[in-house]
Amino acid sequence: MEFHSGLNLMLEALAYLGRRAGGYSCEWMLERLHSRGVKDLGQIKALLTPLSRITEELDAAVTIDPERLQYLFGSLPGFPYNTIGTYSRGFLLLYPLVSEYSGSCEAILDRARSRSSCRLAGDLAMILDLGEEPELSGEELSARILSLNVPAESKVAVLELYHRGSDCLLEAMELVSQVVAWMANALPRLELCCVPFIRQVQEVGPEAMLAQTSALKSDPHRGDELRPFLFGLDTLLAVQSSDSGTVQVCCGILRRELQEALASAKGPELEVFEAIRLLADQTRFDILCYLRDRDAYGQELAAKFSLSRNTIHHHMSKLLSAHLVKCTVDGNRIYYRADGNSIRRLIERQQELLLSEP
């Protein structure tokens, strides 16, 4: 796995707009950490301060009507929680093209407008974790969207993106272009915010950084890349290049610090309690047992347990956050498997907490 320190400004713009629409500021993040029991916030606050200043300047420079911002980059109801608006209208339309960005928003807009209806359907299905096919018929996309366990208004919103999304695309890209232009002028300052993360990767290597910040494993034969994700902060996204087929893993620059802070605040008792609580759900327990000796991807799990892909995604996010499963990216598919080492450590902690010494 290689490490590239350059920022993808289009992805950064999408993440910034999603955070702004959701109100997920640097101050919000500090308050959330405090509410979850993190007491020593000095290091994280020091790392967030320069980004907070840049964000304030960007907020002032790019004027956006709040209602339009929310419409374009606010998360649609019912989809999994995230801080960068992954399930917003603008993100759904533009994210599949992020890997093709090479400095020109106009070129990306042209590419988006020239997509065939079948390619657009495939892109929407991919980002919603409804399939891996590069192209899909409108009828099949509609059937999969209607099967989602989300509010009807969200289903309608996604279907409208497919049938009548051109105006939304233009509006979203106009905002993204404004943000990208501002970021391009402030690029040295943005890159300076990434220096601590870059040093960490250089010290431990990209594979170790990926292992420390996620349950994701890369394919050593594919030449995958690890990149810093500035406005992602706590997020990790995998973007497959349509040209080379390699996967660009964009890792939030504070992801490791945030995970360590939350882990230290939990303590072993809470960690064990949360794992037991997660596995008290029969479906999650059955999925974990199924994955103990095999790899499986979302669609396979959905078929095996007769659940929607959205429901499977919800369960896997929970199991991943508890480090009970690990995953590997293969193209547009994510394969899951029970994490035997983590499960053994969890059982050892249970024994230490619940069994007295002989």
Side-chain angles (χ1 to χ4, degrees):
M1 186 177 213
E2 298 181 358
F3 175 61
H4 290 269
S5 60
L7 296 171
N8 184 318
L9 293 188
M10 182 176 170
L11 178 60
E12 298 295 345
L14 287 172
Y16 160 77
L17 289 165
R19 283 190 173 278
R20 182 166 170 176
Y24 301 124
S25 64
C26 295
E27 292 71 23
W28 171 89
M29 180 172 286
L30 291 171
E31 291 173 3
R32 180 172 174 80
L33 289 170
H34 179 72
S35 70
R36 296 182 67 177
V38 179
K39 297 179 180 179
D40 185 6
L41 292 170
Q43 180 186 11
I44 293 176
K45 188 174 182 179
L47 293 169
L48 279 174
T49 297
L51 181 60
S52 179
R53 292 171 182 160
I54 290 172
T55 303
E56 289 175 359
E57 294 179 29
L58 185 49
D59 290 346
V62 180
T63 303
I64 307 173
D65 176 74
E67 290 187 7
R68 296 313 296 169
L69 176 66
Q70 188 60 40
Y71 176 80
L72 293 168
F73 291 100
S75 295
L76 295 172
F79 288 102
Y81 160 84
N82 69 85
T83 57
I84 60 171
T86 304
Y87 296 101
S88 67
R89 292 172 175 85
F91 208 101
L92 289 172
L93 286 171
L94 293 172
Y95 175 68
L97 302 172
V98 158
S99 66
E100 301 176 26
Y101 174 77
S102 58
S104 172
C105 289
E106 292 78 9
I108 295 297
L109 180 58
D110 289 341
R111 184 64 181 268
R113 296 163 94 175
S114 65
R115 275 185 296 193
S116 67
S117 59
C118 291
R119 180 56 187 268
L120 175 58
D123 284 347
L124 290 172
M126 180 273 294
I127 193 172
L128 291 170
D129 198 24
L130 295 174
E132 295 85 19
E133 306 94 326
E135 295 190 351
L136 203 65
S137 70
E139 292 78 9
E140 183 59 33
L141 174 68
S142 297
R144 296 183 189 184
I145 290 173
L146 292 175
S147 71
L148 287 171
N149 184 26
V150 299
E153 62 183 286
S154 295
K155 297 178 185 180
V156 170
V158 177
L159 288 172
E160 285 184 344
L161 291 180
Y162 173 72
H163 291 289
R164 295 174 292 277
S166 57
D167 290 343
C168 184
L169 173 66
L170 288 172
E171 285 192 77
M173 200 61 192
E174 181 180 354
L175 288 180
V176 168
S177 298
Q178 291 180 46
V179 175
V180 166
W182 192 94
M183 288 183 175
N185 289 327
L187 189 56
R189 295 171 61 197
L190 300 181
E191 292 174 335
L192 192 60
C193 293
C194 299
V195 168
F197 174 82
I198 293 171
R199 288 173 178 165
Q200 290 173 357
V201 178
Q202 290 172 339
E203 289 173 2
V204 303
E207 292 88 353
M209 176 60 75
L210 185 61
Q212 292 171 9
T213 56
S214 74
L216 192 67
K217 291 186 178 297
S218 68
D219 185 342
H221 305 294
R222 191 174 50 209
D224 292 347
E225 303 170 357
L226 183 69
R227 293 176 177 267
F229 194 4
L230 178 57
F231 282 90
L233 283 177
D234 54 345
T235 307
L236 189 138
L237 286 180
V239 183
Q240 186 179 26
S241 171
S242 58
D243 296 328
S244 64
T246 60
V247 174
Q248 299 174 10
V249 181
C250 302
C251 180
I253 62 167
L254 289 186
R255 187 172 171 85
R256 189 171 79 171
E257 284 80 3
L258 294 170
Q259 288 180 334
E260 291 175 349
L262 289 171
S264 65
K266 283 182 179 180
E269 294 88 352
L270 185 57
E271 183 179 359
V272 170
F273 169 77
E274 288 185 349
I276 293 174
R277 179 174 59 83
L278 280 176
L279 294 178
D281 181 281
Q282 183 70 48
T283 299
R284 282 196 283 269
F285 181 79
D286 290 344
I287 290 173
L288 188 64
C289 290
Y290 180 74
L291 293 173
R292 64 189 172 189
D293 57 359
R294 60 169 58 85
D295 297 331
Y297 60 98
Q299 189 170 352
E300 178 184 344
L301 293 172
K304 169 67 179 177
F305 294 97
S306 300
L307 297 170
S308 70
R309 298 266 309 234
N310 191 47
T311 300
I312 288 293
H313 181 77
H314 169 76
H315 287 312
M316 299 317 299
S317 295
K318 296 285 187 182
L319 292 171
L320 282 168
S321 66
H323 302 288
L324 295 173
V325 299
K326 53 188 177 181
C327 56
T328 302
V329 173
D330 184 4
N332 288 328
R333 285 182 176 177
I334 295 180
Y335 285 88
Y336 302 98
R337 189 181 184 93
D339 191 333
N341 290 332
S342 291
I343 293 173
R344 290 188 190 92
R345 287 194 295 270
L346 175 64
I347 293 173
E348 291 172 358
R349 292 191 187 98
Q350 289 177 336
Q351 291 176 328
E352 292 171 359
L353 290 170
L354 301 177
L355 295 179
S356 59
E357 294 291 335

